[in-house]
Amino acid sequence: FPVTIAEGLARRIVEGDIVFVDPSREAKHGDRVIVRLDDHAEATFKQLLIEDGRKMLKALNPEWSPRYIQINGNATITGVVIGKWVPE
């Protein structure tokens, strides 16, 4: 499913880009994912990091705080980003 980016996140993804998400793909270390945190109403766009069995979400915008969020069952990954389309 397509998701429109509301604000710039990194050099590769900018405001107005449309990213395509595969909800059936299993997320692995380093994937960019759409994730919904249990205590937030909106989904967010982050990079998934998995190290020593621990999962963290890394903000793609280097100015975003907090830059890292540890997750342990308090988040649902709704899909893995598989590409983007830039409107002309």
Side-chain angles (χ1 to χ4, degrees):
F1 59 89
V3 176
T4 302
I5 301 304
E7 58 185 71
L9 299 173
R11 287 181 290 184
R12 293 178 45 184
I13 306 291
V14 298
E15 183 176 344
D17 283 357
I18 298 171
V19 296
F20 290 88
V21 178
D22 184 345
S24 64
R25 186 179 288 191
E26 184 175 342
K28 58 187 183 309
H29 175 76
D31 282 345
R32 293 172 295 152
V33 297
I34 304 296
V35 61
R36 183 180 306 270
L37 300 172
D38 291 347
D39 57 350
H40 290 76
E42 298 178 348
T44 186
F45 182 38
K46 305 279 189 211
Q47 182 179 28
L48 176 65
L49 303 176
I50 304 171
E51 295 181 12
D52 299 326
R54 296 181 319 175
K55 294 182 179 180
M56 298 189 75
L57 299 172
K58 178 182 176 184
L60 298 172
N61 181 342
E63 297 177 12
W64 191 262
S65 181
R67 186 79 197 271
Y68 296 90
I69 301 171
Q70 185 166 350
I71 57 173
N72 53 2
N74 62 336
T76 302
I77 295 175
T78 59
V80 176
V81 174
I82 58 173
K84 75 172 184 171
W85 178 76
V86 179
E88 293 183 8

